[in-house]
Amino acid sequence: MTGHPDEAAVEAAHEPHDPAPGEWAVRDRVRAQATGMRHHQAEAALEAAREEGADPTVVAERERIEEHLTTHGGPYAPETDPYVQGQMEARSRHGADDQAPVRTDRP
């Protein structure tokens, strides 16, 4: 077993902040990997990320998805995730940069 990620860094990743370069890409990658997962699968992926000492952004996003699936009745899908939809709306309203592509395939 490797070390767990720094919990303070994971907590900081949950707080509102200007994303670091590449942070959007990390979150988008985690969301893509989580697509189709049910709660128990997301929980296992979160634990694996913690055990691997994954990047705090990865762990924070996995935590958020796992919490979302606690109350969601189906598999994970970014297009039905209110947090993701809010982010996409904010990106489109504030002008997206190269690190934050705006998806046009949302309902």
Side-chain angles (χ1 to χ4, degrees):
M1 170 170 75
T2 60
H4 288 270
D6 178 7
E7 288 300 317
V10 172
E11 287 301 316
H14 281 294
E15 295 298 320
H17 63 280
D18 288 330
E23 191 171 333
W24 290 117
V26 170
R27 289 182 181 176
D28 288 344
R29 187 183 77 239
V30 170
R31 292 169 186 166
Q33 291 168 346
T35 298
M37 286 185 177
R38 300 226 175 241
H39 181 260
H40 68 281
Q41 295 165 315
E43 191 172 47
L46 169 59
E47 287 306 313
R50 287 178 176 152
E51 290 296 319
E52 294 167 3
D55 180 281
T57 301
V58 170
V59 175
E61 188 62 9
R62 290 218 178 269
E63 285 177 350
R64 193 195 63 73
I65 290 170
E66 186 272 335
E67 288 171 9
H68 168 70
L69 290 176
T70 298
T71 59
H72 182 68
Y76 180 75
E79 56 273 2
T80 61
D81 183 336
Y83 181 82
V84 173
Q85 294 305 304
Q87 280 188 331
M88 290 192 307
E89 181 67 26
R91 288 181 194 177
S92 67
R93 286 186 184 199
H94 291 71
D97 61 23
D98 292 338
Q99 292 293 319
V102 176
R103 294 173 58 181
T104 59
D105 61 343
R106 59 188 170 145

